[in-house]
Amino acid sequence: TQQISRCFIYIKQVKRLMFENGDFELLPHCVQSNHFLFFNLSLRTATIWKTLSPFWGEEYTVHLPPYFRTVSFYVLDEDSLSRDDVIGKVSITKEVLTAKPQGVDGWMNLTEIDPDEEVQGEIHLQISVLGDGDIPRKLCCQVLEARDLAKKDRNGASDPFVRVRYNGKTYESTVVKKSCYPRWNESFEFELDETLADTGLLSVEVWDWDLVSRNDFLGKVTVQNRHFLESLEIWFRGFPHRRSLGTLGSLRLQLRLRDEVVLPSSHYKPLTELLSQSVGSQLNGNWPDFIMLIDETTTAESRQEVANNLVKLFLGQGLVKEFLDVLFKLELEKTTEPNTLFRSNSLASKSMESFLKVAGMQYLHRLLGPIINRIFEEKKYVELDPSKVELKEAGCAGLHRQQTESDIIQQSSSLLQSYLSELLTSILQSASYCPLLICQVFHQLYLRVQECFPDPEYRVKFIAVTSFLCLRFISPAIMSPKLFHLREKHADARTSRTLLLLAKAVQTIGNMDTLACCSKEPWMVCLQSAIQQGITQLKDFITKLVNCHEPEDLELQTRMSLQCGTMEKEGFLFLHRTKDKCMPMTSPFKKYYVTLSKDTLSYSRTQHSKSVNELNHWLSALRKACSHNTNTMSCYHPGIYKADRWSCCHQKEKSDPGCDKTRHGVTLQEWYDPLDPDLEAQLIYQHLCSVQHDCFDLTDQKKVDGLSKLFSILQDLHDAHAAVEEEERSKNKNLFLELQT
């Protein structure tokens, strides 16, 4: 079985912030700050500039390893010239999240960051008592090794040494230079004081040695006297030296943790086949329709997650077009007013949004990449709203002449029209490279809406397409390019405003109604002609898009396929040459084209490839390819073997066992992740279990006959999970008995 931990994090707001700068304290009422939030998972929110009450409203789905202990959030003040200042942090333990299955929601006080509290890693100790009879017994503490220590030095490592204390005596180990995975293999002996059975403590501290400044604390372990009766060898987790208290404001969070045990694929096959048959039966007019049942039983809170699971499941089965067509049909049956079609957060809208993010991310990067990069590089001041124009931000128009408000608005209008023209040109040209799967789905949507609203005066068939393509896909990516992996960092305040104005123009074009926009925001009138022209161009683009009959998009099909032996990932990697003697001033790396499939990992020296966020793609593909590998090693070397030793732990033999334990990587909302059908089926099973007794109408005999098979499958999965839990309890019981013995 495979255990997955998911943590749903909704970052809301910070209030009452204050922090220290130099030798004095800055209070909230007299200073403004630029705040952003930082996670231990290399995830960062946008920076909110010049405020002490920032609002983010950003949502993240974070996949955590089952053995995680704490989720931490750091609030920082961004500085353009110097290092960012850490204001405070909020830490939530796994126990707190597990105790509240419905989630944690509320304000949490920020605490001060103490370097002695920021510890990580584990240390391997062997403790034994020497001597017998009349000979005074001695306590022997053997410090073997440590792993995953904090990096305290600028070179990305530490110089760790161990300080062992007992009964008033202190010993120190040697210093291991430039390593977070040190090996000492040193022993220290103390006279055992039998009178301190309850109060005697063996203290083992790990420090980072510094030549000039004071040593940095890395962690501490204490063992009481009563544990010295027999030999003890175990890995200990490091703990803080001391805890600090403080009030630096508070952070509002919504978090929900879910632990899922994923069974082998054979258990989910009946459920997957039943859902696949349901898609075909609904299109043919036959019962039962389990998709409609799922649509009726999803709540607003669970709809997005259920939509994600269903889209990925049907993508793996090659039935995503049919699945979305069923949802289009159900949505049209419930809609009488064409102006409200697909505007609510229904299961159809959420599923289509998820589908575009999964199948169209590479298309989006090719479409928006050039214009987004241009806006980030130019950093022009753009503002159309007279109430928000800042003359200082715009600068001077010429020698000794300050720009007026009308000058700024006119210049901003010209810039926005230039950006909008370039974007519309890219959209028109993108019909030739839009993935065929997306074209086919939009073709189905176009025809369904045309059948339901045949009146030629209605533009509903065009608006139905633009409501997804422009309003739920292109515009959000323009406003937040980092969340769609278009940029590595969030935009600053000036660039964010330009992106927002451009996104507003795209939304107006997508709504195909210039009058409504100008009535709500009169200062958009200067773009009216450009928007009207854009509406005409967008209609031409949609006509081409829905009539696209090109050959199958083999690249997309290959990337989405789940058949054994198909390619999971390919591209260029730099492989380190550990044996070759490199000439001075030459790179120790060689460039190879690597291909990862279900069965093999191979490489060659030539092949052309381009990809966005290449490293994360590779890590994601490798993690998924190894997730069910029963022969995975339990430990590995995080460093490289160079100069006849491992760089991580300084072991000299290349065949020496690894110094760190293997673990699954962390996933951060990776839409480009290879599909995991078992996990999606497990999550759909959980949803069906939660609603089967309350929401299903069993008054119709045909429904009873159809649902009986579904209930039987759900019961079989329930029994399989119960067997796994019983097996786990039995293992834990046997382990406990062995430890007692």
Side-chain angles (χ1 to χ4, degrees):
T1 61
Q2 177 188 7
Q3 190 176 15
I4 305 293
S5 295
R6 304 183 105 194
C7 185
F8 297 85
I9 302 170
Y10 186 66
I11 306 154
K12 276 204 166 181
Q13 192 176 0
V14 165
K15 66 177 182 179
R16 300 191 308 274
L17 290 177
M18 62 182 181
F19 58 95
E20 294 184 359
N21 187 355
D23 297 328
F24 58 94
E25 187 178 54
L26 301 177
L27 298 178
H29 62 272
C30 64
V31 70
Q32 291 182 325
S33 184
N34 314 318
H35 302 297
F36 62 91
L37 212 61
F38 177 76
F39 303 83
N40 268 344
L41 307 173
S42 300
L43 181 65
R44 170 175 166 160
T45 67
T47 300
I48 310 300
W49 299 87
K50 300 179 181 179
T51 180
L52 289 165
S53 300
F55 177 87
W56 285 286
E58 299 185 21
E59 184 175 355
Y60 300 91
T61 300
V62 184
H63 296 255
L64 303 171
Y67 49 80
F68 88 96
R69 289 180 287 167
T70 305
V71 179
S72 297
F73 307 84
Y74 293 78
V75 182
L76 298 94
D77 171 47
E78 180 170 329
D79 290 326
S80 301
L81 301 178
S82 60
R83 189 171 62 178
D84 300 330
D85 299 317
V86 181
I87 298 173
K89 76 168 185 177
V90 170
S91 294
I92 299 97
T93 63
K94 183 178 182 179
E95 288 74 18
V96 172
L97 294 173
T98 306
K100 298 183 178 180
Q102 300 302 320
V104 178
D105 181 3
W107 289 95
M108 304 178 189
N109 290 329
L110 293 171
T111 57
E112 184 180 350
I113 303 297
D114 189 335
D116 289 344
E117 187 182 353
E118 301 297 300
V119 302
Q120 68 179 60
E122 298 172 304
I123 187 169
H124 189 187
L125 302 178
Q126 183 176 9
I127 303 171
S128 59
V129 177
L130 306 178
D132 195 7
D134 298 333
I135 303 175
R137 295 200 298 170
K138 292 186 177 182
L139 173 65
C140 178
C141 177
Q142 185 176 4
V143 181
L144 301 175
E145 57 186 321
R147 61 191 178 196
D148 197 24
L149 298 178
K151 302 172 183 178
K152 295 291 186 178
D153 296 335
R154 291 186 177 181
N155 58 17
S158 293
D159 303 323
F161 70 94
V162 176
R163 184 176 295 158
V164 186
R165 294 176 177 172
Y166 177 75
N167 199 17
K169 290 187 178 181
T170 302
Y171 295 105
E172 290 186 356
S173 71
T174 58
V175 177
V176 178
K177 293 293 188 68
K178 299 180 182 179
S179 177
C180 294
Y181 299 84
R183 284 176 175 260
W184 290 284
N185 287 325
E186 298 184 26
S187 298
F188 306 96
E189 294 185 359
F190 303 88
E191 291 186 3
L192 183 63
D193 192 343
E194 307 282 357
T195 61
L196 302 177
D198 295 326
T199 59
L201 290 177
L202 172 68
S203 172
V204 180
E205 300 174 358
V206 185
W207 294 80
D208 169 50
W209 178 84
D210 288 319
L211 179 62
V212 179
S213 59
R214 71 179 184 89
N215 298 331
D216 299 312
F217 180 75
L218 296 178
K220 178 181 180 180
V221 168
T222 57
V223 184
Q224 292 186 345
N225 250 19
R226 61 174 177 267
H227 297 300
F228 301 157
L229 299 178
E230 297 181 3
S231 297
L232 177 67
E233 180 177 351
I234 195 171
W235 281 92
F236 291 90
R237 293 174 180 170
F239 290 93
H241 192 55
R242 61 178 182 272
R243 295 191 176 273
S244 58
L245 300 175
T247 55
L248 302 169
S250 54
L251 178 71
R252 185 176 180 184
L253 299 170
Q254 287 182 357
L255 299 100
R256 184 161 63 97
L257 176 68
R258 289 184 56 175
D259 281 342
E260 298 291 348
V261 177
V262 182
L263 302 171
S265 302
S266 58
H267 291 276
Y268 300 107
K269 188 176 180 180
L271 178 61
T272 303
E273 290 179 348
L274 188 66
L275 293 175
S276 300
Q277 293 169 3
S278 175
V279 168
S281 64
Q282 170 62 22
L283 293 176
N284 296 329
N286 299 323
W287 183 257
D289 176 25
F290 299 114
I291 303 301
M292 187 174 70
L293 289 175
I294 295 175
D295 183 22
E296 294 174 349
T297 56
T298 53
T299 62
E301 293 78 13
S302 64
R303 193 167 292 129
Q304 181 66 71
E305 183 182 359
V306 173
N308 293 343
N309 303 144
L310 289 171
V311 165
K312 292 184 178 181
L313 180 73
F314 284 110
L315 267 171
Q317 300 300 314
L319 293 171
V320 70
K321 291 185 296 183
E322 292 77 5
F323 164 66
L324 292 173
D325 196 21
V326 170
L327 294 181
F328 296 155
K329 185 178 177 181
L330 294 174
E331 185 80 3
L332 287 166
E333 289 174 354
K334 296 184 292 185
T335 304
T336 56
E337 176 58 43
N339 293 328
T340 62
L341 183 62
F342 298 117
R343 294 307 174 98
S344 64
N345 290 324
S346 62
L347 183 63
S349 299
K350 291 295 185 182
S351 297
M352 189 63 180
E353 184 179 334
S354 299
F355 165 72
L356 288 174
K357 289 180 179 179
V358 175
M361 194 60 73
Q362 291 185 353
Y363 163 74
L364 184 74
H365 280 234
R366 185 173 176 181
L367 174 67
L368 295 182
I371 185 63
I372 294 295
N373 291 335
R374 176 188 169 189
I375 294 173
F376 268 79
E377 291 166 3
E378 290 182 354
K379 291 186 178 180
K380 299 286 187 179
Y381 179 74
V382 178
E383 185 55 73
L384 298 179
D385 188 352
S387 64
K388 295 183 179 181
V389 172
E390 296 184 10
L391 299 179
K392 293 182 180 179
E393 288 286 336
C396 298
L399 186 62
H400 305 301
R401 190 175 81 83
Q402 187 77 22
Q403 290 194 53
T404 63
E405 182 179 291
S406 60
D407 292 336
I408 295 172
I409 293 177
Q410 183 178 359
Q411 181 181 344
S412 300
S413 176
S414 300
L415 277 170
L416 271 178
Q417 290 184 35
S418 173
Y419 294 147
L420 188 59
S421 175
E422 181 180 339
L423 177 59
L424 289 171
T425 302
S426 299
I427 292 176
L428 286 173
Q429 295 173 351
S430 70
S432 61
Y433 59 82
C434 182
L436 183 62
L437 189 59
I438 294 179
C439 296
Q440 292 173 338
V441 170
F442 278 132
H443 177 71
Q444 291 177 165
L445 174 63
Y446 187 88
L447 294 179
R448 289 285 185 190
V449 176
Q450 192 175 36
E451 292 172 2
C452 189
F453 300 99
D455 192 337
E457 294 183 2
Y458 282 127
R459 299 170 294 178
V460 187
K461 57 188 178 182
F462 292 104
I463 296 177
V465 177
T466 60
S467 64
F468 292 118
L469 187 64
C470 295
L471 275 62
R472 292 179 180 266
F473 193 43
I474 295 178
S475 289
I478 293 174
M479 287 190 289
S480 302
K482 184 180 184 298
L483 299 183
F484 288 78
H485 308 290
L486 286 161
R487 299 287 297 187
E488 292 185 358
K489 294 183 178 180
H490 286 287
D492 56 25
R494 174 181 290 193
T495 306
S496 294
R497 182 60 180 172
T498 304
L499 295 173
L500 177 61
L501 292 173
L502 180 61
K504 281 180 176 289
V506 173
Q507 288 175 349
T508 305
I509 294 173
N511 288 323
M512 296 189 175
D513 188 359
T514 57
L515 297 177
C517 173
C518 295
S519 62
K520 294 179 181 178
E521 297 172 330
W523 40 269
M524 292 283 287
V525 172
C526 58
L527 298 178
Q528 187 169 2
S529 60
I531 290 174
Q532 191 62 49
Q533 183 181 0
I535 292 175
T536 305
Q537 292 175 319
L538 193 60
K539 284 184 178 180
D540 295 337
F541 165 73
I542 293 173
T543 304
K544 293 180 181 179
L545 190 70
V546 299
N547 294 313
C548 182
H549 297 290
E550 298 178 358
E552 289 289 328
D553 186 348
L554 296 179
E555 179 184 354
L556 181 69
Q557 281 197 344
T558 301
R559 186 164 57 86
M560 293 298 177
S561 176
L562 294 173
Q563 300 300 320
C564 184
T566 57
M567 183 194 66
E568 288 281 358
K569 183 76 180 97
E570 64 176 350
F572 282 108
L573 286 179
F574 289 92
L575 304 183
H576 191 273
R577 298 182 289 184
T578 59
K579 290 292 185 181
D580 298 343
K581 298 294 184 180
C582 300
M583 295 292 292
M585 305 302 292
T586 61
S587 173
F589 295 92
K590 277 189 177 181
K591 188 176 182 180
Y592 292 97
Y593 188 80
V594 183
T595 301
L596 172 68
S597 72
K598 290 285 186 181
D599 300 323
T600 61
L601 179 64
S602 59
Y603 63 90
S604 59
R605 294 196 176 185
T606 58
Q607 178 68 37
H608 180 70
S609 174
K610 288 185 178 180
S611 180
V612 180
N613 210 357
E614 189 73 11
L615 177 59
N616 284 338
H617 281 231
W618 271 107
L619 294 176
S620 172
L622 287 167
R623 178 178 61 82
K624 282 294 178 68
C626 300
S627 61
H628 298 289
N629 183 4
T630 57
N631 297 320
T632 301
M633 294 187 298
S634 60
C635 58
Y636 78 110
H637 289 285
I640 60 173
Y641 189 74
K642 183 180 179 182
D644 297 329
R645 67 175 182 175
W646 288 100
S647 62
C648 48
C649 58
H650 297 181
Q651 294 187 80
K652 295 183 178 181
E653 296 295 331
K654 193 172 184 180
S655 59
D656 284 342
C659 55
D660 193 19
K661 57 185 178 182
T662 54
R663 63 195 75 185
H664 293 289
V666 177
T667 308
L668 301 174
Q669 200 76 21
E670 295 171 339
W671 291 108
Y672 43 77
D673 240 12
L675 302 178
D676 190 347
D678 296 340
L679 175 59
E680 309 307 333
Q682 166 65 22
L683 296 174
I684 294 172
Y685 155 73
Q686 289 285 15
H687 171 73
L688 292 173
C689 285
S690 65
V691 299
Q692 65 172 328
H693 299 298
D694 301 328
C695 303
F696 289 170
D697 181 12
L698 302 179
T699 58
D700 191 331
Q701 185 59 39
K702 290 185 178 180
K703 293 183 179 181
V704 173
D705 295 339
L707 290 174
S708 61
K709 186 175 182 180
L710 173 63
F711 291 158
S712 175
I713 292 173
L714 297 181
Q715 184 61 44
D716 291 342
L717 285 170
H718 175 78
D719 295 340
H721 277 282
V724 170
E725 293 176 3
E726 181 62 32
E727 182 181 356
E728 188 68 22
R729 280 195 295 267
S730 177
K731 288 182 179 178
N732 292 335
K733 183 178 180 180
N734 293 336
L735 179 61
F736 178 73
L737 293 175
E738 289 178 5
L739 290 174
Q740 277 190 324
T741 305

